[in-house]
């Protein structure tokens, strides 16, 4: 019988080394590689829990920083934890709040103890430490919790990157000491900015701690995609083979394909719902901007072979009408499609890995749309 937190490495693709796995959690099993829709404030924007299940969501991500500020971790705990509060009975991952507080460059001060910051909502002052972050995540009750880390910006000089990397390792040890709940899995986060030797050193040090899983942070923050891919290639052989790897904040279709080929098992990003609200949808032939006049008399679906509700029941002309009329339904349906597109993409990737054909799949994928043009 599987343990509450156990990662099974089921198959390694002979063509690429990509991994097909299965992660067991207290709230269900996650088939990897997987994309996690982002429910920043205990909701994936415009989508209900039932709809997320219909499109194949296995796990969602929520944000510690935002839930700490509103409605507060104590209230969520009083409700019975995040699963009951948002009526989601499948796995949840919470980030540590580290990226959010570090992005508040003009509103925060970093010390060895933690980060002092001002709320973006009302200007109130707060202090996040490794211990506070873990305490909040324990009250939220997510299945997978993330360490509090220091994220470097792009670009970043070597001294700052090195300092942040070592502080992240020290903070990880404090997170491990602070963690009390046995029904939550703590993931470390490999940092080191865009210096391969720092990333390798961080990965080696964290591997010694034998954690349930490992995040890869500080990427997709403005750097060229080729830089991100080189970092993933550098740390791939260093990361523990028997633990899941989670590339944080990455969600464009090409990056999912490239990330999986470089050993990544888990991804998350707000991109699919964010661009949907701007009228952009993903298709296997690239991006489609529904507000364009070309679709005014187009009575075909967004994508011919897509099984999502938006594609099976509505036309491009209708969806364009809704968007131009600023109807909320347009945002819901476009978000529905984009999320299903990425989840379907991951289903196809898992199948390609099992068949030792991921490189063939990637070549076919890019034949319809060039690399990096998402």
């Amino acid at each position: 019988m599987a343990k509450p937190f156990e990662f099974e490495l089921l198959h390694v693709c002979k063509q690429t080394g990509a991994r097909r796995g299965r992660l067991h959690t207290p709230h269900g099993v996650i088939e990897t590689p997987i994309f996690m829709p982002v429910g920043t404030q205990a909701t994936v924007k415009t989508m209900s829990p039932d709809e997320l299940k219909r499109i194949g969501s296995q796990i969602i991500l929520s944000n510690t920083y935002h839930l700490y500020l509103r409605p507060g971790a104590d209230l969520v705990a009083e409700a019975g934890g995040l699963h009951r509060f948002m009526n989601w009975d499948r796995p949840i991952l919470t980030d540590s709040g580290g990226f959010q507080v570090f992005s508040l460059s003009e509103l925060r001060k970093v010390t060895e103890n933690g980060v002092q910051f001002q709320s973006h909502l009302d200007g109130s002052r707060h202090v996040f430490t490794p211990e506070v972050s873990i305490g909040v995540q324990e009250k939220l009750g997510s299945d997978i919790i993330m360490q509090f880390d220091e994220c470097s910006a792009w670009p970043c000089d070597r001294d700052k990157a090195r300092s942040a990397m070592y502080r992240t390792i020290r903070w990880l040890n404090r997170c491990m000491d602070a963690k009390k709940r046995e029904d939550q899995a703590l993931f470390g986060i490999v940092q080191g900015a865009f210096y391969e030797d720092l990333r390798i050193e961080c990965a080696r040090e964290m591997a010694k701690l034998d954690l349930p899983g490992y995040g890869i942070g500080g990427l997709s923050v403005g750097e060229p995609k080729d830089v991100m891919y080189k970092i993933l290639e550098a740390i791939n052989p260093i990361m523990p083979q028997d633990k899941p790897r989670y590339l944080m904040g990455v969600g464009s279709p090409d990056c999912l394909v490239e990330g999986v080929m470089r050993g990544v098992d888990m991804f998350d990003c707000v991109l699919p719902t964010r661009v949907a609200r701007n009228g952009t949808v993903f298709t296997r032939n690239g991006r489609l901007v529904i507000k364009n006049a070309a679709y005014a008399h187009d009575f075909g679906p967004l994508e011919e072979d897509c099984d999502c509700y938006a594609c099976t029941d509505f036309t491009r002309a209708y969806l364009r009408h809704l968007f131009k009329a600023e109807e909320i339904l347009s945002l819901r349906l476009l978000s529905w499609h984009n999320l299903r597109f990425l989840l379907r993409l991951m289903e196809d990737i898992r199948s390609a890995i099992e068949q030792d054909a991921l490189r063939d799949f990637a070549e076919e994928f890019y034949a319809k749309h060039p690399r990096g043009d998402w």
Side-chain angles (χ1 to χ4, degrees):
M1 180 178 294
K3 299 175 183 177
F5 292 101
E6 181 179 61
F7 180 69
E8 300 177 76
L9 186 57
L10 302 176
H11 187 75
V12 177
C13 180
K14 294 177 182 178
Q15 283 189 336
T16 64
R19 298 142 54 85
R20 170 73 173 91
R22 183 172 293 142
L23 178 58
H24 298 263
T25 80
H27 284 89
V29 175
I30 303 162
E31 303 291 339
T32 65
I34 189 62
F35 175 79
M36 300 180 285
V38 175
T40 301
Q41 309 208 55
T43 179
V44 177
K45 290 189 185 302
T46 78
M47 300 289 291
S48 74
D50 284 343
E51 290 165 350
L52 290 169
K53 291 179 181 179
R54 285 179 60 183
I55 63 173
S57 300
Q58 302 180 52
I59 175 174
I60 61 174
L61 178 145
S62 286
N63 184 266
T64 293
Y65 166 84
H66 289 284
L67 295 176
Y68 162 80
L69 290 177
R70 181 177 57 189
D74 288 334
L75 187 146
V76 174
E78 181 183 348
L82 195 53
H83 291 88
R84 289 187 179 179
F85 188 55
M86 64 184 298
N87 193 30
W88 176 256
D89 59 3
R90 295 183 180 180
I92 297 174
L93 181 150
T94 46
D95 62 14
S96 68
F99 179 80
Q100 284 70 34
V101 297
F102 286 111
S103 66
L104 300 171
S105 58
E106 297 180 359
L107 301 175
R108 51 88 171 168
K109 177 182 179 182
V110 182
T111 69
E112 183 62 27
N113 181 53
V115 182
Q116 303 172 32
F117 66 94
Q118 287 182 264
S119 165
H120 71 288
L121 297 174
D122 59 12
S124 58
R125 296 184 179 275
H126 305 265
V127 177
F128 249 45
T129 66
E131 294 78 12
V132 168
S133 176
I134 295 299
V136 171
Q137 291 183 82
E138 289 190 330
K139 289 179 179 178
L140 296 176
S142 49
D143 299 273
I144 299 172
I145 63 177
M146 303 302 297
Q147 77 151 112
F148 194 59
D149 62 326
E150 182 172 359
C151 181
S152 300
W154 165 267
C156 177
D157 67 54
R158 182 181 177 81
D159 288 343
K160 289 183 178 179
R162 186 173 182 273
S163 174
M165 183 268 286
Y166 279 121
R167 179 171 282 150
T168 292
I169 294 173
R170 292 193 297 272
W171 282 358
L172 172 56
N173 282 278
R174 287 170 57 184
C175 287
M176 294 174 66
D177 290 341
K179 182 179 178 296
K180 306 301 181 187
R181 291 182 60 158
E182 296 184 357
D183 60 344
Q184 293 179 305
L186 172 64
F187 281 25
I189 302 177
V190 175
Q191 291 287 359
F194 308 96
Y195 301 93
E196 292 183 17
D197 60 324
L198 294 182
R199 289 281 183 171
I200 290 170
E201 181 179 358
C202 188
R204 283 177 173 158
E205 289 302 309
M206 289 191 172
K208 296 176 183 177
L209 300 175
D210 193 29
L211 295 167
Y214 296 87
I216 305 165
L219 294 175
S220 192
V221 291
E223 80 281 4
K225 291 180 179 180
D226 285 347
V227 173
M228 176 174 68
Y229 300 154
K230 287 179 181 178
I231 294 296
L232 294 178
E233 290 168 2
I235 64 175
N236 185 8
I238 309 301
M239 303 282 281
Q241 294 297 304
D242 60 342
K243 303 295 176 66
R245 297 98 167 264
Y246 161 34
L247 180 55
M248 306 176 72
V250 171
S252 67
D254 55 335
C255 287
L256 297 185
V257 174
E258 297 292 335
V260 169
M261 290 199 293
R262 290 163 175 80
V264 177
D265 305 299
M266 304 168 67
F267 304 83
D268 83 283
C269 195
V270 299
L271 182 67
T273 50
R274 175 175 290 169
V275 300
R277 297 193 299 277
N278 293 323
T280 299
V281 296
F282 298 142
T283 77
R284 288 295 170 94
N285 294 313
R287 292 191 181 212
L288 182 155
V289 181
I290 198 63
K291 61 187 175 184
N292 288 350
Y295 305 117
H297 299 275
D298 188 336
F299 301 108
L302 290 174
E303 190 163 28
E304 286 291 343
D305 64 344
C306 181
D307 60 4
C308 82
Y309 179 47
C311 289
T312 59
D313 286 51
F314 303 102
T315 66
R316 292 177 177 181
Y318 178 67
L319 294 169
R320 179 182 184 273
H321 157 68
L322 291 181
F323 189 84
K324 297 290 285 185
E326 299 183 354
E327 287 290 341
I328 293 173
L329 182 59
S330 69
L331 310 184
R332 284 178 34 73
L333 292 173
L334 298 183
S335 296
W336 192 311
H337 170 80
N338 279 355
L339 288 171
R340 178 57 186 152
F341 177 89
L342 293 187
L343 291 168
R344 232 176 123 216
L345 174 62
M346 301 310 287
E347 291 171 4
D348 292 342
I349 286 173
R350 292 196 294 270
S351 178
I353 294 172
E354 292 168 356
Q355 298 170 33
D356 293 314
L358 184 59
R359 190 175 304 281
D360 297 335
F361 173 86
E363 290 177 358
E364 182 180 349
F365 179 83
Y366 287 125
K368 295 180 179 180
H369 205 276
R371 275 179 168 81
D373 193 22
W374 288 93

